[in-house]
Amino acid sequence: GGGMVFAVDSLSAADADGRRRRAEADSLRPSRILALDARTGDVRWSAVKENPYRTDVTGQWLTLRGNDDWLAYSESLGLVVAGKQKRAYAFEAAGGREVWAKPIGAAPWVLRGETFLHQGGGLVDLRTGEHVGTAASIRRGGCNYFVAGPHLLVIRERSVSYFDLDTQERSSLFAIRSGCSNSLVAADGVLSVPNFAVGCVCNYPIQTSFAMARMAK
């Protein structure tokens, strides 16, 4: 966005696991946020943030999902938001000035215009990092995380569930799981659910790929 590519760089999970085994863990690990010129690759600006050291056991990628580095760009507000381990930072995309830094709920986040959702279902003002409400009352069950758009939030609450974010109404598809990684993909009016439960030994009898489309009233 804005003629730039935004990225974040830190010690890989494999290296962190190796250092844990060699007892070489540091007390802090730096994460470098970068804004690169999209045509040349030159660094427009960068910022370094240090986070408490955490050993991420290689292969357990579900642990990484909520604790690894993440980054997102808001075109409408001209902000880059980044974070790690429930810490979050916002920077002006054009020049890299830090706008706010706060401890905020687990990632991955979902940006929605001037706000975002964290994985606890809380709604946060993207301009200030202040909590401004609750978008959905999550009853989390099983290994998963939610994904969402402007109007729909989908998650595994043991079985598949989805929320109308305008009314907070919950609907559930019982006996269907979405896999350990969220396979519920809402795009262009269709909810696609590829079968990510292959190899699962849990008691979910309906294991199939399907799609749902909105019916006109």
Side-chain angles (χ1 to χ4, degrees), residues 79-100:
L79 292 176
V80 173
V81 287
K84 191 183 183 85
Q85 299 178 17
K86 299 185 180 181
R87 291 173 171 80
Y89 316 93
F91 304 89
E92 289 181 349
R97 183 182 70 86
E98 186 173 304
V99 178
W100 54 261

Side-chain angles (χ1 to χ4, degrees), residues 176 183 191-198 206-212:
I176 300 172
S183 63
L191 177 64
S192 298
V193 189
N195 178 22
F196 273 27
V198 175
I206 303 176
Q207 294 195 9
T208 187
S209 298
F210 65 95
M212 299 174 66

Side-chain angles (χ1 to χ4, degrees), residues 13-26 53-59:
D15 287 342
D17 191 33
R19 297 183 71 172
R20 176 186 63 85
R21 291 195 300 268
R22 296 191 300 270
E24 297 176 358
D26 303 317
Y53 186 89
R54 178 188 173 94
T55 56
D56 301 312
V57 179
T58 307

Side-chain angles (χ1 to χ4, degrees), residues 59-144:
Q60 295 185 0
W61 61 269
L62 284 172
T63 302
L64 296 178
R65 185 70 71 178
N67 295 289
D68 202 7
D69 292 279
W70 57 268
L71 181 144
Y73 168 64
S74 169
E75 182 179 20
S76 60
L77 297 182
L79 292 176
V80 173
V81 287
K84 191 183 183 85
Q85 299 178 17
K86 299 185 180 181
R87 291 173 171 80
Y89 316 93
F91 304 89
E92 289 181 349
R97 183 182 70 86
E98 186 173 304
V99 178
W100 54 261
K102 294 180 181 292
I104 296 180
W109 293 0
V110 177
L111 271 62
R112 301 174 68 245
E114 297 181 358
T115 61
F116 66 82
L117 299 173
H118 62 65
Q119 287 296 313
L123 192 64
V124 180
D125 190 322
L126 190 56
R127 287 192 175 95
T128 64
E130 297 293 332
H131 186 272
V132 293
T134 300
S137 299
I138 305 296
R139 296 195 303 249
R140 196 174 303 276
C143 44
N144 211 234

